[in-house]
Every structure is written in structure tokens, then in C-alpha cells.
Amino acid sequence: MTHTALYEQEIRAAAASVGRRRFLTATGAAAALAFTANLPAAGAAHAAEADARKITENPFTLGVASGDPQPGSVVLWTRLAPRPYEPGWGSSRSNEGESGGGMPNARVPVRWEVAYDEKFTRLAGRGRADAHPEFNHSVHIEPTGLAPDRVYYYRFRAGSWISPVGRTRTAPARGARLSRLKLAAVSCQAYHDGYFTAYRHLAEEDLDIVFHLGDYLYEYPVDAAGGARKYTGRTLPAHFNRETVTLEDYRLRYALYKSDPDLQAAHAAHPFIVTWDDHEVENNYASDISEDDLPPAEFLVRRAAAYRAYWENQPLRRPQRPHGPDARLYRRLHYGQLAQFDILDTRQYRSDQAYGDGWHAPGPESTDPKRTLTGATQERWLIDGWRQSTARWNVLPQQVAFSERRNATGPGYQVSMDAWDGYPASRARVLAGAESAGVDNLVVLTGDVHVHYAFDIKKDFADPRSRTAGVEFVTTSIASGKDGADKPANWGTYMAANPHLKFYNGRRGYVTVTLDRDTARGDYRTVSAVTTPGAPVRTAASFVTEAGNPGLKPA
Ligand code: FE
Ligand code: CA
């Protein structure tokens, strides 16, 4: 083993203890020893069990969620937090003996139920789980034995408190000849930039699944007024008004976001399949390299805290649970014979941004063939998965813009060093892999850029006559960027500089994609404002592409 690899191991071991750190600093040495001695290898400690009947305030303030549907199973999530904005025991701001969110520093039994009907008259499953202080009193239930392609309702109980009811849906059987599937793609929900009005409308849509493509939260300070949410008329605690760095910071920030009623409505209405981008940790980080080039050891401790809080607050399965600063978030889901979803993680394994990040003309630094956005292992996994795919549609939910985006016509243009444009060799390998695997129905779903785009993916973006290899639906933000405009200032330049760009809109909203045997249809939904509550939703544009004959046409 090289010296560097040993050093790396030590960093990861140090970062792995991040979840226990506050216990070690908060308690006496003897108590800390007793606590860690009880830690099983998996990292779930055996804290004392609290009597759930002693929870005297509603602990279900953060709603419920479901996710990652499989044919006979779907993850059910909630987190207990009677006073969600309250910091944990061990931080100087908390009440003695409490572990954050107003919960005792003890595990609390939670009962769960899955039913065929909203009134829970016919149960399909039930059980008991512990909400553990080590995981901030979150629960992740993975019920098995449910029927494929079926709607279910679920709820939780702690003591005498019953959670809101969530609606979810399992995936169809692997061989099922599914005729139709409707999904939505969302991203970028800066709480301080506005209300989650788009989520209120999304909750009303008839959808099978929702893909969250990253920036579920932002690390930036949120002031006492909640930024643009001044109409809410609340005063937020001062601890939100600083950048998230520690596990406590990230946990509290999730509490702020998860307390939003529109976000809760969307989660309660549909199963989510989530992946992260940068802001769940820090703006534009790359692997173990932070925005401000902190020592990697220091940054990995922060990444471990952020990844852990992410897992605690999302309806994810056990294999996605982080180990210190590492988490296997890329994964594959199948919807019968109709769709295969390869959900990517383009942050954790990427080469550092070329030319110091930002916008830059392509050059030897960005076009270096050694550079990667996915890492070699994920790239191989993706292309192998395509080779084995029998699905009608191969869908790639991921983070950053895949298609080329020039910011000027003619020579002298620049492209984004943070997107696939900054990693053109990586993009070429993925496109060559799709072609060699016979994928002629590629649909890329993208977030990050806070605008709607519709792209034809070209084999050679410099040549408009080259083969169209697939299509890309880029969803705008839920809130990031505040109200926006239908035609941003650079609209004309972008449309002229990028002939494969078919649509560009700068409002907030989301995209729905309807897949059937013959076509994929994207509907670009927009809301007129997010800095005032209650704006209506409209469809700004719709496009279709034919199975086996990629290329977007107005619908
Ligand atoms: Fe964003
Ligand atoms: Ca981003």
C-alpha cells in the first residue's frame, strides 16, 4: 500500500466517527466509553429505549416520504422531531438530555402500517422499528411482500401520535409489459429563494415516481426572515444564519426544509428517487476537493457529515447508507419492460473542475482524456447495465447539463467547467458505450442549472448534421433563482449558439415525462412566481421523441 493510500484510509476512518463525535464530546469519558462499547459493527448503537407514551408533543412535524420502488417493496420514511428547529444535546444551545428536534437521547419504538386504502381498513403489512438517536430518530422501513405496480397508503405511530398518511406505489414486475409510465423531474430548492409552490402543484399531478436530481438543500446561511419567504412572518433561529459545516448544521437544515408544507405534500403524494448534486455538501465540490481547496482530510469530515444527514432525511435503502465520507448512491431501477433507470452520482468520483471552474473555452486542461465525471467504476457499471438492458427506454437521471452549451456564437465561446462540457472525454465514452450497447432510446434527465432546457443529444455537437444519440430534458429549479423570467437575458444568444437546443425557459417549476411504447413526451411546467405564495402552474412547452428514432419535436 502506498503512503498516500494509507493516509487516505486514516482520513476515512476519522471521518467515519463523525456521527459519534457529539456523544464523545458531550458526555463524560466513562459514559462515552460505555456508549461506544455498545456500538455494533454496523454503527447502530443500543441507546436506552424511551417510553414513547412520554412524547407529549406531535413528533411528526417533518412529514412522511417513500422512495426507490421495487416490484414488491418501497421504502417508507419518517423522522421524529417534536421541536424540529431545536439543536441536539452536546451543542451549547440545547437542553440537557435531549438529542435534537426535542427528542430524548434514547431510541423510540415506532409502529408502521401499509394499507390498500386510505382509511387503513385493509392492511397489507405492519411492523415495528426503532427511531434511533444515532440516526437523528429517522426510520427507513423496507417492507417486502407487497404486490407489484400497486398503490399503497402508509403511516407511522409513536406513542399516541399518528403521522400524516402517505400514498405510494410499487414498481411493476420485471417482465411486465407496462404500457405507460409518468414521472416528474425536480431539482434545486433554495428555501431562502422562495416558496415551494411548484411542489404543491406537483403533489396534484398523476405520477408514478418523482426523480430529485440534486440541490435538495443549500449550505448557505438563511436569515431570520427566511430570505425571500418574508410573507411567512416568522423569525427563524440564529443558528440557521451560517453555512452548514457540522452534522448538527446539516441535520437542522434538513429540518428547516422538511418542515415546508408544500414539500411534505409532494413527498406524501408520490414515491421519490433521489440523488444529490453539490449543495447537499458544498457548492461545486469535486470528489474530496472543496470549493476553497481546503485540505482533503478536513473536507472529507464535512462530506461525511453531509452524506450522513442526507441519508437520514431521504427514503433510501440500506445499501445507500454512507460509510464515513463514502456512499454508494448510483443505482439501477427497473419499471417492467418499459424503462430502466440508471441513477448517477456525478459529484463523489469526479476529477477536479478544469481551469479553476466557472466558464472557460475548451482547451487541453478540460479535454484531457484522463478526466472523468463518473469515475471509472460507475462508468463501467453504467455501460455494462446498458448492454444487459431489454427496456424500451433507457433513462439517465443525473445532475449536470449533459449536452453542449456554448455561451456565444462563433469562435471564442465558453462552456461550463462544472457540467459534462468540462469533461468531454467522459461524455464521449458514455455516448460511445450507449452506441456499442445498442441504446437507441436514451433519455437524460438533468437539474442544476435553474432553467428549463430541451436538447437533442448529438454524437458530435459541433456538427448539427451528426447523428442524434438521444434527448435531454433539463428541469428548472423548484425555487433557486427566485421568480425568474420566461426569456432570460441570454435567451437569443443561447438559442443561436446551440442549434440542438430546442427550448429554454427561465421560470421555476418541474418537468413531467410520459413514457409509452412509442413515444416519450416532456411537459415543461412553470409557476409565475415563488417569492409570493400561491402562484398557478402552466405548461410552457411540450416535446415528444419517438422510440428508436431520437429527436425532439414540439407536441
Ligand atoms: Fe442548484
Ligand atoms: Ca448544483
Side-chain angles (χ1 to χ4, degrees):
M1 186 177 285
T2 65
H3 177 74
T4 327
L6 256 178
Y7 176 62
E8 177 84 1
Q9 243 178 27
E10 279 168 33
I11 294 169
R12 283 171 196 280
S17 70
V18 74
R20 300 193 282 273
R21 175 151 310 176
R22 75 201 162 96
F23 293 97
L24 294 174
T25 53
T27 63
L33 254 180
F35 185 84
T36 50
N38 281 333
L39 270 182
H46 286 191
E49 183 174 308
D51 185 349
R53 287 170 303 183
K54 289 187 181 146
I55 299 176
T56 55
E57 296 161 86
N58 175 22
F60 296 107
T61 60
L62 304 177
V64 298
S66 70
D68 276 30
Q70 290 177 0
S73 169
V74 59
V75 183
L76 311 176
W77 173 93
T78 194
R79 183 156 87 73
L80 308 180
R83 298 189 295 277
Y85 299 168
E86 216 166 83
W89 186 46
S91 95
S92 56
R93 305 173 297 264
S94 69
N95 296 323
E96 184 90 5
E98 293 195 343
S99 100
M103 287 296 287
N105 184 32
R107 70 197 149 91
V108 174
V110 176
R111 299 193 174 273
W112 57 271
E113 288 180 334
V114 180
Y116 296 106
D117 63 309
E118 219 166 340
K119 293 194 170 129
F120 290 81
T121 53
R122 286 182 59 222
L123 286 191
R126 67 195 303 178
R128 198 197 107 132
D130 279 337
H132 205 283
E134 266 289 282
F135 294 106
N136 211 15
H137 292 103
S138 61
V139 291
H140 298 72
I141 310 296
E142 299 184 40
T144 53
L146 302 178
D149 198 18
R150 174 156 199 155
V151 168
Y152 289 99
Y153 298 87
Y154 61 97
R155 66 184 176 187
F156 301 89
R157 178 198 290 261
S160 58
W161 299 96
I162 297 176
S163 76
V165 172
R167 176 199 167 278
T168 190
R169 190 179 185 116
T170 53
R174 269 299 286 279
R177 286 185 57 83
L178 189 65
S179 59
R180 181 180 176 275
L181 168 65
K182 188 169 181 185
L183 63 89
V186 299
S187 76
C188 295
Q189 48 197 49
Y191 182 94
H192 52 275
D193 270 2
Y195 294 91
F196 294 164
T197 307
Y199 268 139
R200 180 60 60 178
H201 296 295
L202 183 107
E204 300 297 316
E205 301 260 4
D206 176 19
L207 300 171
D208 296 283
I209 33 175
V210 176
F211 287 91
H212 199 295
L213 304 173
D215 292 358
Y216 193 96
L217 61 64
Y218 284 71
E219 76 276 28
Y220 302 130
V222 180
D223 68 19
R229 295 186 174 213
K230 52 187 183 294
Y231 293 94
T232 310
R234 294 169 312 170
T235 304
L236 292 175
H239 58 67
F240 288 122
N241 201 359
R242 59 163 196 222
E243 187 164 327
T244 53
V245 177
T246 66
L247 179 59
E248 192 69 38
D249 294 338
Y250 286 107
R251 283 173 164 172
L252 284 165
R253 194 60 61 89
Y254 280 103
L256 178 64
Y257 279 61
K258 287 276 187 184
S259 63
D260 180 275
D262 298 330
L263 178 69
Q264 289 186 12
H267 276 297
H270 313 295
F272 272 52
I273 298 165
V274 301
T275 186
W276 53 41
D277 191 26
D278 51 339
H279 288 286
E280 285 88 351
V281 182
E282 188 209 32
N283 179 50
N284 283 18
Y285 79 96
S287 181
D288 60 359
I289 300 159
S290 71
E291 187 181 21
D292 309 323
D293 295 325
L294 280 180
E298 224 173 289
F299 180 66
L300 282 179
V301 172
R302 180 178 182 181
R303 196 176 91 175
Y307 282 10
R308 185 186 182 91
Y310 184 80
W311 189 84
E312 288 172 351
N313 284 283
Q314 301 293 3
L316 287 165
R317 290 182 186 275
R318 183 65 71 95
Q320 275 66 57
R321 198 166 85 184
H323 300 277
D326 305 308
R328 166 73 187 255
L329 198 60
Y330 66 86
R331 60 204 190 276
R332 181 167 293 131
L333 293 170
H334 302 274
Y335 268 69
Q337 290 291 301
L338 190 60
Q340 173 171 316
F341 297 102
D342 293 293
I343 300 112
L344 297 192
D345 173 358
T346 62
R347 280 291 156 195
Q348 195 174 173
Y349 317 103
R350 64 159 71 194
S351 317
D352 196 12
Q353 289 91 349
Y355 298 111
D357 207 354
W359 287 70
H360 198 277
E365 199 178 317
S366 64
T367 58
D368 182 343
K370 289 198 294 294
R371 291 169 52 68
T372 178
L373 195 62
T374 58
T377 309
Q378 185 177 197
E379 183 180 296
R380 222 175 304 120
W381 165 88
L382 172 63
I383 294 167
D384 284 351
W386 277 339
R387 288 213 178 94
Q388 285 155 30
S389 173
T390 54
R392 189 68 158 185
W393 298 98
N394 284 282
V395 184
L396 197 59
Q398 54 95 49
Q399 293 76 20
V400 291
F402 189 87
S403 300
E404 188 176 271
R405 270 183 314 149
R406 299 183 179 194
N407 68 353
T409 52
Y413 66 88
Q414 297 174 321
V415 294
S416 168
M417 290 296 123
D418 187 60
W420 287 84
D421 275 343
Y423 303 76
S426 200
R427 177 169 59 199
R429 286 192 299 272
V430 166
L431 283 178
E435 189 173 1
S436 76
V439 168
D440 58 2
N441 48 18
L442 179 64
V443 175
V444 177
L445 303 178
T446 303
D448 181 53
V449 284
H450 309 172
V451 295
H452 278 319
Y453 291 129
F455 286 113
D456 281 349
I457 298 170
K458 305 303 284 187
K459 184 176 171 143
D460 175 7
F461 287 103
D463 177 8
R465 290 160 307 170
S466 77
R467 192 173 68 83
T468 297
V471 301
E472 180 178 12
F473 296 116
V474 180
T475 182
T476 188
S477 56
I478 290 288
S480 308
K482 301 186 181 167
D483 294 340
D486 285 312
K487 282 195 180 174
N490 59 12
W491 187 90
T493 309
Y494 271 44
M495 294 304 287
N498 303 284
H500 53 281
L501 173 58
K502 305 300 173 190
F503 176 66
Y504 173 14
N505 178 291
R507 293 277 184 204
R508 310 286 75 86
Y510 53 89
V511 176
T512 65
V513 177
T514 309
L515 303 173
D516 63 30
R517 303 285 304 167
D518 305 317
T519 59
R521 175 194 171 105
D523 290 293
Y524 288 88
R525 307 279 276 161
T526 59
V527 292
S528 53
V530 294
T531 57
T532 48
V537 69
R538 64 183 278 264
T539 300
S542 302
F543 291 88
V544 288
T545 183
E546 286 171 38
N549 181 29
L552 291 173
K553 296 178 190 73

